[in-house]
Amino acid sequence: MNFTVGFKPLLGDAHSMDNLEKQLICPICLEMFSKPVVILPCQHNLCRKCANDVFQASNPLWQSRGSATVSSGGRFRCPSCRHEVVLDRHGVYGLQRNLLVENIIDIYKQESSRPLHSKAEQHLMCEEHEEEKINIYCLSCEVPTCSLCKVFGAHKDCEVAPLPTIYKRQKRQELPLPRLEGSGTNMTYCSLDLLDSSDPSILASQNTNITGSELSDGIAMLVAGNDRVQAVITQMEEVCQTIEDNSRRQKQLLNQRFESLCAVLEERKGELLQALAREQEEKLLRVRGLIRQYGDHLEASSKLVESAIQSMEEPQMALYLQQAKELINKVGAMSKVELAGRPEPGYESMEQFTVSVEHVAEMLRTIDFQPGASGEEEDEEVALDGDEGTAGPEEERPDGP
């Protein structure tokens, strides 16, 4: 049936609150956890102060926080399961806080401090009969209802029981409840002494109602489940950190590989440039030597021509005849001088120093990750590739003239 909510649902009675409080007790100080609450790797919780006391007792030589001496950490055992907890140099301050438990403690304290009379004064009103309070429980439909609904409403043919009795039984698992029998104005309660506990309707109601202890146990299970979820979150955060560290390492290795490859290329480029420079120098020296030789011959021939012209202008016949014979011999000798050969056609070409890098570039484009290869194998592959890249162009380099 439909009904109007006129109050906030209660968190639970004193029994439920006690069960919840038992889940919030520190195993060391035997008091409710005091913030900050830390969670151990074994998923048990401790007050940070209590955890620090146990840690200091197990590691008397460990320097306290703020000390000038840098400590290397320590270890202690969980007081609940005896699991060994290893801490770094931060000690218990390096443990993660359990904010979920701290929030539950705050909510528990707020509910515990709330006045009970203010909760009891609020009522649940029937939606069909707005002036009637919800005061009975329909066992057939398993819903709260009002007296008018039982008298001439939707539940006049149903079996009902007092609402407080149902409430107490759900909270404290009491005996089967009395029923309200009859219809109309002749509505009477069954006696507990005459109640047959084997009545199917009563047994069905017992099986379907949630007890207070089940609620507290459910809260405890939820808290334990949340602890496990938080542990999974912590593990996944550690996985994220490991992924970042591994990625950073692989990036450094990748940069080193390519820097080594670039160094091999730069070294080989320098060697080829030196070979090209040597060939250039050799050819230039040869051609410049021929230029000097031809220049010297041209200069001597020009001087001889000038001397011959001056001799032909000599007016004295005896002197002319004397010089003419000598000049004729020199001209004949000069004309018979054989000069060094000229550079062969195409001597100036340097196309033999062309390097084909298309296949090397194509091979470089095929570089890819090899998940199955270790770092040492990758180093060896890079070294072998560098040696092959050095030997190939050397074989293609032509010999100088």
Side-chain angles (χ1 to χ4, degrees), residues 112-148:
S112 299
S113 62
R114 182 178 299 176
L116 297 178
H117 64 84
S118 62
K119 301 177 184 177
E121 291 175 354
Q122 298 172 342
H123 300 282
L124 191 66
M125 309 302 293
C126 179
E127 191 173 86
E128 296 181 4
H129 309 95
E130 297 181 356
E131 300 298 328
E132 290 295 321
K133 299 177 182 178
I134 302 296
N135 56 2
I136 60 176
Y137 186 85
C138 179
L139 298 175
S140 301
C141 303
E142 298 182 358
V143 292
T145 184
C146 71
S147 299
L148 291 181

Side-chain angles (χ1 to χ4, degrees), residues 313-325:
E313 295 177 354
E314 179 62 42
Q316 297 182 8
M317 293 184 291
L319 184 58
Y320 169 76
L321 293 174
Q322 184 179 1
Q323 293 178 352
K325 185 177 180 180

Side-chain angles (χ1 to χ4, degrees), residues 43-325:
Q43 307 309 311
H44 288 111
N45 299 295
L46 297 174
C47 308
R48 180 187 286 174
K49 180 180 179 303
C50 297
N52 189 52
D53 293 342
V54 175
F55 178 66
Q56 293 285 352
S58 302
N59 302 269
L61 300 179
W62 190 81
Q63 298 294 330
S64 61
R65 193 180 191 189
S67 175
T69 306
V70 178
S71 179
S72 59
R75 60 187 66 198
F76 69 97
R77 293 190 177 276
C78 172
S80 298
C81 65
R82 307 306 297 167
H83 176 77
E84 187 177 50
V85 180
V86 181
L87 301 180
D88 58 10
R89 60 185 181 86
H90 299 288
V92 297
Y93 294 92
L95 293 172
Q96 186 174 6
R97 292 179 60 179
N98 195 333
L99 301 180
L100 177 62
V101 173
E102 294 180 5
N103 293 336
I104 294 176
I105 292 174
D106 294 338
I107 295 174
Y108 173 83
K109 291 181 178 179
Q110 291 176 3
E111 293 295 331
S112 299
S113 62
R114 182 178 299 176
L116 297 178
H117 64 84
S118 62
K119 301 177 184 177
E121 291 175 354
Q122 298 172 342
H123 300 282
L124 191 66
M125 309 302 293
C126 179
E127 191 173 86
E128 296 181 4
H129 309 95
E130 297 181 356
E131 300 298 328
E132 290 295 321
K133 299 177 182 178
I134 302 296
N135 56 2
I136 60 176
Y137 186 85
C138 179
L139 298 175
S140 301
C141 303
E142 298 182 358
V143 292
T145 184
C146 71
S147 299
L148 291 181
C149 290
K150 172 59 182 173
V151 174
F152 48 82
H155 300 278
K156 62 181 179 179
D157 297 327
C158 299
E159 297 180 356
V160 297
L163 189 63
T165 307
I166 292 288
Y167 174 78
K168 291 179 181 179
R169 195 192 68 181
Q170 289 181 342
K171 294 295 184 180
R172 300 179 183 178
Q173 291 182 315
E174 293 183 344
L175 292 173
L177 302 175
R179 296 176 296 172
L180 291 175
E181 294 182 341
S183 61
T185 57
N186 298 321
M187 183 171 59
T188 58
Y189 290 99
C190 292
S191 174
L192 283 174
D193 297 333
L194 301 178
L195 187 62
D196 184 5
S197 61
S198 62
D199 193 321
S201 62
I202 300 299
L203 294 177
S205 177
Q206 290 176 341
N207 294 332
T208 55
N209 291 331
I210 302 176
T211 64
S213 61
E214 290 175 339
L215 180 59
S216 62
D217 292 342
I219 294 176
M221 292 177 62
L222 183 60
V223 171
N226 290 337
D227 289 342
R228 290 192 295 269
V229 171
Q230 187 172 16
V232 173
I233 293 175
T234 303
Q235 292 176 356
M236 288 190 291
E237 290 176 349
E238 294 176 355
V239 170
C240 292
Q241 183 63 39
T242 304
I243 291 174
E244 293 178 356
D245 295 340
N246 291 338
S247 298
R248 189 181 307 108
R249 174 178 173 274
Q250 291 305 120
K251 288 178 181 178
Q252 293 176 354
L253 292 176
L254 186 62
N255 288 330
Q256 293 176 1
R257 301 293 189 276
F258 275 86
E259 288 175 359
S260 301
L261 188 58
C262 292
V264 172
L265 293 175
E266 287 293 330
E267 181 182 0
R268 188 55 187 159
K269 183 180 74 172
E271 293 174 354
L272 294 179
L273 289 176
Q274 290 179 0
L276 180 60
R278 287 194 300 268
E279 186 69 14
Q280 173 188 348
E281 187 65 23
E282 291 176 1
K283 288 189 174 184
L284 289 177
L285 288 176
R286 181 186 175 194
V287 174
R288 286 170 180 168
L290 292 176
I291 290 174
R292 287 195 298 270
Q293 184 178 356
Y294 277 83
D296 295 340
H297 178 76
L298 179 60
E299 182 179 0
S301 178
S302 299
K303 291 180 179 179
L304 184 58
V305 169
E306 292 178 359
S307 299
I309 293 174
Q310 292 177 1
S311 178
M312 291 179 65
E313 295 177 354
E314 179 62 42
Q316 297 182 8
M317 293 184 291
L319 184 58
Y320 169 76
L321 293 174
Q322 184 179 1
Q323 293 178 352
K325 185 177 180 180

